[in-house]
Amino acid sequence: MPLFQVIAAKLRSQIAAGTYRPGTRLPSTRRLSAQLAVSLTTINRALRELESERLIVARERSAWTVEVSRPLARVGRPVPPEAPALVGTTGLIHDHLRTVLDPSLVPLGRAEPSADMLPTTELSFCLREILRREGEKSLRYEHPVGSRLLREELARLSISWGCVLEPDDFIITNGCSEAIHLALQVTTRPGDVVAVESPTFYGILQAVAGLGLRVIEIPSRPVSGLDLAILRRALQRHPIRAVLTVPSYNNPVGGCLSTQGRRELAALLAECDVPLIEDDLYGDLFHDGMRLPCVKSHDVGGRILLCGSISKTLAPGYRIGWLVAGRYRDAAQALKLRLSYSTATPLQHAVGLFLKNGDYDRHLRKVRPQYSRRMAQFTELVTEVFPPGIRIHPSRGGYLIWVEWSEGSSAMECYERALALRVSVAPGEIFTVHGRPTTAFRLHAGFPINPEIIRALKVLGECLR
């Protein structure tokens, strides 16, 4: 059992025994860290586990209060409708994208690596080396399925995902977005029903909307991820043609499906003979422990399509992604040829060389603990400057935090107030099918803490009051 779960179990037992009664405060995170001789990150993860069980709630500063005397009101996310629906959030998404690219704003609404975490020097060396070695050849079209070098290195890397894949299993794509588009198109037809997490990344909703698909939203929890019980009921009630999920550190809520949950999900979809589109964009950015195996590692019939990219780890602007399409490989290859023919040749080869040199493993060993520390620092700062009653859900991987509250202004109202004060956030409305009002937003917690970030968080705290 992970250490944070051991500590959560100890605190849970003390609450059950009455050591900490309803309404009383737990010791501070720093005191618990000292008492139990574990890191602040471990303590915060244990406390978030208890928070997800509605046993404690965050109050002002770093205090946590026992709340078992009454259930917490549902906050943040509206209840997803049970009937299939067409996506209707395009306008909101375009408004948000304009703000995250505005250099005059503090970009807390973005979801890409912090600039100081990008391996610029190493990638630049690999690109120069490819151009030197291959010359004019590196500027020609690549084969539609992608660079052999890159596909070989991804096949070797797939062992760490729990999979045993071959180079020919991979199709190199223009980012993870193209991989998801290809996966949706080879598994569905316009008018079909797909199941997606709710909330989910707005790019997934855009892909679904563009293909004329209808959506069933399946709740995703900040700690445990996709609700498999609700998914099972939905599969029984609706003609779902595909399920699309982000099992590791879902954007925006940060949920992570357990190893057992991944096995159950694969078995459920095998039982129903429904394809799964697995978005593994954040899988390599776990903060501690080990990488959880992809759901694809439990695939026995080729019905799981695995999508990935370097956009969240190495270089968003390179737009290098991949698709492992299983039984749909031939159809996906033909579609890739028709849609975009190929992906940028020199960038594919540079990333392949980066992987071959061992730079990727070294890079991940460097950035994982840094993101973990920044997440803990950011969470502590948010707890201090945000008003009481705010629930904060830092992910156990990546660099995103989901913030919810139960009363007061909607997320869009806070979003607009913050923009007027030159701060960008990602309002919860853009992560749902119809942009229904929420009291939640997503923050980027991977930036180094500096006076500008501190000011921006104080601005958000005032917007929430």
Side-chain angles (χ1 to χ4, degrees):
M1 179 184 293
L3 183 56
F4 80 92
Q5 291 184 353
V6 173
I7 292 175
K10 290 179 180 179
L11 293 171
R12 193 182 296 112
S13 297
Q14 289 184 310
I15 292 171
T19 304
Y20 296 112
R21 298 183 180 278
T24 61
R25 299 170 100 185
L26 294 179
S28 70
T29 54
R30 293 191 182 280
R31 185 175 176 187
L32 285 171
S33 174
Q35 288 175 339
L36 299 172
V38 297
S39 69
L40 281 171
T41 299
T42 300
I43 291 296
N44 279 318
R45 288 186 66 181
L47 294 173
R48 297 300 174 192
E49 186 93 346
L50 298 180
E51 182 191 35
S52 73
E53 298 168 12
R54 307 297 196 264
L55 293 179
I56 62 175
V57 66
R59 295 302 187 195
E60 69 273 6
R61 298 198 176 272
S62 299
W64 291 84
T65 303
V66 178
E67 287 284 297
V68 293
S69 59
R70 59 178 177 82
L72 286 174
R74 179 188 60 79
V75 296
R77 286 157 285 148
V79 177
E82 294 191 358
L86 292 170
V87 176
T89 57
T90 301
L92 289 176
I93 292 168
H94 288 172
D95 286 344
H96 168 67
L97 289 175
R98 279 194 292 270
T99 70
V100 299
L101 297 175
D102 186 340
S104 71
L105 302 177
V106 182
L108 295 181
R110 302 184 79 162
E112 63 181 62
S114 178
D116 66 323
M117 295 289 205
L118 299 177
T120 306
T121 301
E122 295 88 344
L123 276 174
S124 296
F125 169 82
C126 290
L127 184 55
R128 288 195 303 270
E129 185 66 11
I130 289 297
L131 293 172
R132 185 190 67 80
R133 287 185 194 175
E134 301 183 6
E136 173 266 344
K137 181 182 174 183
S138 67
L139 303 180
R140 292 181 177 274
Y141 287 121
E142 181 55 86
H143 191 283
V145 299
S147 156
R148 181 73 188 184
L149 170 64
L150 177 55
R151 290 184 291 118
E152 286 176 349
E153 293 305 319
L154 289 173
R156 294 188 179 102
L157 187 62
S158 72
I159 294 174
S160 69
W161 310 340
C163 303
V164 181
L165 300 173
E166 301 294 332
D168 288 344
D169 292 326
F170 288 87
I171 301 169
I172 305 304
T173 60
N174 294 296
C176 194
S177 296
E178 186 181 47
I180 289 172
H181 273 84
L182 293 175
L184 283 169
Q185 288 184 77
V186 298
T187 57
T188 65
R189 296 292 179 267
D192 281 351
V193 178
V194 296
V196 303
E197 291 170 298
S198 182
T200 196
F201 172 51
Y202 53 77
I204 288 173
L205 297 178
Q206 289 289 86
V208 169
L211 296 173
L213 301 170
R214 294 178 295 153
V215 173
I216 286 286
E217 294 179 274
I218 309 298
S220 182
R221 314 300 181 189
V223 174
S224 57
L226 185 69
D227 191 316
L228 296 182
I230 293 179
L231 174 61
R232 178 178 288 276
R233 289 199 296 272
L235 287 164
Q236 292 168 347
R237 295 174 183 175
H238 303 285
I240 294 173
R241 300 304 180 200
V243 176
L244 205 165
T245 183
V246 187
S248 295
Y249 323 119
N250 165 301
N251 174 7
V253 300
C256 187
L257 199 60
S258 68
T259 300
Q260 178 60 28
R262 293 165 195 246
R263 283 194 290 266
E264 292 175 5
L265 176 58
L268 172 60
L269 295 182
E271 174 189 330
C272 300
D273 194 22
V274 173
L276 173 72
I277 300 170
E278 178 180 9
D279 180 347
D280 188 48
L281 201 54
Y282 293 90
D284 281 334
L285 289 177
F286 57 90
H287 288 169
D288 50 31
M290 296 179 63
R291 194 193 205 282
L292 290 177
C294 293
V295 183
K296 178 69 177 176
S297 68
H298 305 292
D299 186 13
V300 293
R303 65 175 53 80
I304 299 178
L305 298 89
L306 179 64
C307 305
S309 168
I310 63 164
S311 293
K312 305 304 179 185
T313 53
L314 295 181
Y318 270 38
R319 308 305 300 139
I320 300 295
W322 53 86
L323 170 64
V324 178
R327 63 167 70 165
Y328 305 94
R329 182 182 59 186
D330 291 346
Q333 288 181 0
L335 187 58
K336 165 69 178 179
L337 178 61
R338 294 199 305 271
L339 290 180
S340 61
Y341 189 82
S342 66
T343 302
T345 303
L347 300 183
Q348 289 190 64
H349 288 239
V351 174
L353 182 59
F354 188 89
L355 294 176
K356 185 176 181 178
N357 289 346
D359 290 331
Y360 188 60
D361 289 337
R362 285 189 289 271
H363 172 69
L364 289 176
R365 287 196 297 270
K366 173 186 173 183
V367 301
R368 284 175 187 140
Q370 290 192 57
Y371 277 134
S372 180
R373 285 192 293 271
R374 289 182 182 184
M375 182 81 77
Q377 294 167 355
F378 196 94
T379 301
E380 191 166 356
L381 181 58
V382 167
T383 304
E384 289 177 1
V385 302
F386 279 20
I390 302 294
R391 299 184 65 205
I392 306 158
H393 303 285
S395 177
R396 290 175 285 171
Y399 32 76
L400 301 177
I401 283 181
W402 185 243
V403 178
E404 297 178 306
W405 60 98
S406 58
E407 299 177 346
S409 302
S410 71
M412 283 302 297
E413 290 171 325
C414 290
Y415 165 75
E416 289 167 357
R417 289 178 197 160
L419 280 182
L421 297 168
R422 316 312 298 164
V423 177
S424 161
V425 299
E429 281 83 340
I430 66 174
F431 303 106
T432 63
V433 166
H434 284 303
R436 296 177 300 277
T438 69
T439 48
F441 52 66
R442 185 196 70 194
L443 298 177
H444 190 306
F447 297 125
I449 302 298
N450 57 35
E452 182 181 54
I453 295 295
I454 294 172
R455 181 198 72 81
L457 290 176
K458 287 180 178 178
V459 164
L460 290 180
E462 290 304 314
C463 291
L464 287 165
R465 294 184 191 277

